[in-house]
């Protein structure tokens, strides 16, 4: 983002009316820090895809809250419908203080791995505002619990809106005014559109034993961690290591108490790694700031080093 005063201008406090309500959520976040982190999220959300694909599931979002802004180039009004659906995963539950610490990190790429907001950016649709003038609306769907959280904590709301605006600008090559107004009497503008999320695929874990023989195991992921399992140590690398283009990610997860790949339950989503064990020794749930080519992902467990290596090609 190029605005020098993003933290002060993300929500406009000027020209209040009976229809609009505005807030100033980013008092303690520098615009440079927020911009760097938001750029890592741009274009990486669960974007709505063609309903003809068998790899996608359709759902109808429910209304939430609505923001009004404008297109800088055309001066046309833009409405951002922040919708909700349980089909969208909730992000990791952190406090405002923890979010501020993540944003303030020098290594912003590492920060993006620590807190990821799952969402679906719907397609633009033409609508009419209250005055009958043409406008554009975008539907952004998030988890209902996170919707409640952003309404309670301004820092999370400001963080979400920065990601949303950055993603829309990247996807549609437009310039959106960051001075958004929260409409207190409107939950949604226009008609709710059907959206699509990618279905999870089931990766194959190859096991390498001491004789370099390879055995294969179909993993069956668990949805959640029911016990207090240990979080394993892990590292995630990108290739190539420099430049804007990322071709694939490699995750190395240390599992010293695992004997065989047969006890591992691994699921790789569009932007998520979910790892559990049948013995419930380990549990790992990571959101990634990239869209993955799920069908091309692969995993290999080395019985000697006790390291699970996951190779994940990144979508263009």
């Amino acid at each position: 983002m190029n605005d020098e005063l993003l933290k002060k201008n993300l929500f406009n406090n000027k020209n209040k009316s009976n229809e609009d309500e505005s807030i100033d959520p980013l008092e303690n976040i520098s615009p440079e820090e927020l911009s760097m982190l938001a750029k890592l999220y741009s274009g990486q959300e669960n974007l709505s895809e063609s309903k003809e694909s068998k790899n996608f599931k359709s759902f109808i979002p429910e209304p939430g809250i609505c923001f009004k802004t404008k297109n800088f180039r055309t001066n046309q009004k833009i409405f951002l419908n922040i919708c909700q659906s349980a089909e969208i995963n909730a992000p990791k539950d952190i406090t405002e203080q923890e979010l501020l610490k993540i944003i303030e990190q020098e290594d912003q790429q590492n920060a993006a791995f620590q807190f990821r907001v799952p969402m679906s950016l719907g397609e633009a649709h033409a609508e009419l505002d209250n005055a009958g003038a043409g406008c554009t609306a975008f539907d952004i769907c998030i988890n209902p619990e996170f919707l409640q959280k952003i309404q309670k904590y301004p820092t999370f709301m400001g963080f979400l809106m920065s990601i949303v605006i950055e993603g829309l600008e990247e996807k549609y090559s437009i310039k959106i005014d960051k001075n958004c107004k929260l409409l207190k009497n409107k939950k949604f503008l226009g008609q709710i559109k059907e959206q699509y999320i990618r279905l999870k695929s089931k990766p194959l874990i190859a096991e390498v034993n001491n004789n370099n023989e390879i055995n294969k195991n179909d993993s069956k992921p668990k949805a959640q961690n029911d016990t207090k399992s240990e979080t394993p140590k892990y590292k995630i690398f990108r290739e190539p290591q420099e430049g804007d283009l990322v071709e694939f990610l490699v995750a190395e997860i240390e599992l010293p108490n695992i004997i065989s790949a047969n006890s591992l339950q691994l699921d790789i989503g569009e932007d998520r790694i979910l790892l559990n064990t049948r013995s419930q020794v380990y549990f790992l749930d990571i959101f990634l700031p990239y869209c993955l080519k799920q069908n091309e992902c692969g995993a290999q467990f080395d019985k000697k080093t006790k390291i699970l290596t996951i190779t994940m090609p990144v979508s263009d």
Side-chain angles (χ1 to χ4, degrees), residues 192-206:
I192 297 180
K193 305 294 184 180
E194 190 176 33
Q195 293 199 26
Y196 303 88
I197 55 174
R198 188 187 299 272
L199 296 175
K200 296 179 178 179
S201 62
K202 190 165 59 176
L204 193 66
I205 302 177

Side-chain angles (χ1 to χ4, degrees), residues 71-89:
N71 186 320
F72 258 134
R73 298 190 179 117
T74 65
N75 210 37
Q76 185 184 54
K77 289 182 182 179
I78 291 178
F79 290 85
L80 305 176
N81 297 317
I82 309 299
C83 314
Q84 56 183 320
S85 174
E87 296 289 347
I88 305 297
N89 293 320

Side-chain angles (χ1 to χ4, degrees), residues 27-94:
E27 183 177 356
N28 298 318
I29 307 177
S30 76
E32 293 80 9
E33 293 167 339
L34 186 58
S35 175
M36 290 177 64
L37 190 55
K39 284 181 182 297
L40 293 174
Y41 286 81
S42 299
Q44 305 300 336
E45 288 75 19
N46 293 326
L47 304 181
S48 294
E49 299 285 351
S50 170
K51 63 182 178 181
E52 297 179 357
S53 173
K54 295 182 180 180
N55 295 324
F56 290 84
K57 176 183 178 181
S58 65
F59 68 97
I60 302 293
E62 296 180 3
I65 55 179
C66 182
F67 289 88
K68 181 176 71 175
T69 182
K70 67 179 180 180
N71 186 320
F72 258 134
R73 298 190 179 117
T74 65
N75 210 37
Q76 185 184 54
K77 289 182 182 179
I78 291 178
F79 290 85
L80 305 176
N81 297 317
I82 309 299
C83 314
Q84 56 183 320
S85 174
E87 296 289 347
I88 305 297
N89 293 320
K92 181 171 64 174
D93 187 19
I94 63 174

Side-chain angles (χ1 to χ4, degrees), residues 139-154:
D139 304 337
I140 301 93
C141 192
I142 59 176
N143 182 273
E145 293 181 3
F146 190 61
L147 177 62
Q148 294 180 7
K149 189 168 188 175
I150 67 171
Q151 294 180 85
K152 185 177 180 180
Y153 299 103

Side-chain angles (χ1 to χ4, degrees), residues 69-237:
T69 182
K70 67 179 180 180
N71 186 320
F72 258 134
R73 298 190 179 117
T74 65
N75 210 37
Q76 185 184 54
K77 289 182 182 179
I78 291 178
F79 290 85
L80 305 176
N81 297 317
I82 309 299
C83 314
Q84 56 183 320
S85 174
E87 296 289 347
I88 305 297
N89 293 320
K92 181 171 64 174
D93 187 19
I94 63 174
T95 65
E96 280 189 298
Q97 291 73 21
E98 289 173 326
L99 176 60
L100 291 172
K101 289 181 179 179
I102 290 174
I103 294 174
E104 292 168 358
Q105 290 186 31
E106 293 184 3
D107 186 354
Q108 293 298 315
Q109 187 168 10
N110 179 62
F113 282 106
Q114 296 183 34
F115 185 64
R116 176 79 163 83
V117 181
M119 67 179 71
S120 173
L121 292 183
E123 299 297 326
H125 50 100
E127 301 291 346
L128 297 176
D129 63 13
N130 290 339
C135 61
T136 302
F138 297 95
D139 304 337
I140 301 93
C141 192
I142 59 176
N143 182 273
E145 293 181 3
F146 190 61
L147 177 62
Q148 294 180 7
K149 189 168 188 175
I150 67 171
Q151 294 180 85
K152 185 177 180 180
Y153 299 103
T155 304
F156 283 94
M157 181 177 288
F159 181 72
L160 173 69
M161 294 309 296
S162 69
I163 297 170
V164 166
I165 291 175
E166 194 83 38
L168 292 174
E169 289 183 333
E170 178 75 15
K171 182 178 180 181
Y172 292 101
S173 299
I174 58 177
K175 186 65 176 178
I176 300 176
D177 188 352
K178 275 70 176 181
N179 296 320
C180 300
K181 290 183 179 180
L182 175 62
L183 306 181
K184 63 180 180 181
N185 295 324
K186 189 180 293 294
K187 294 184 177 181
F188 195 93
L189 180 79
Q191 295 183 345
I192 297 180
K193 305 294 184 180
E194 190 176 33
Q195 293 199 26
Y196 303 88
I197 55 174
R198 188 187 299 272
L199 296 175
K200 296 179 178 179
S201 62
K202 190 165 59 176
L204 193 66
I205 302 177
E207 181 181 276
V208 179
N209 58 29
N210 293 336
N211 298 321
N212 292 326
E213 297 176 350
I214 295 180
N215 302 317
K216 294 184 178 180
N217 169 49
D218 285 322
S219 63
K220 297 180 180 180
K222 269 195 174 181
Q224 60 183 8
N225 183 20
D226 297 327
T227 62
K228 293 183 179 179
S229 303
E230 180 183 348
T231 300
K233 296 181 180 179
Y234 67 91
K235 297 178 182 178
I236 299 179
F237 309 92

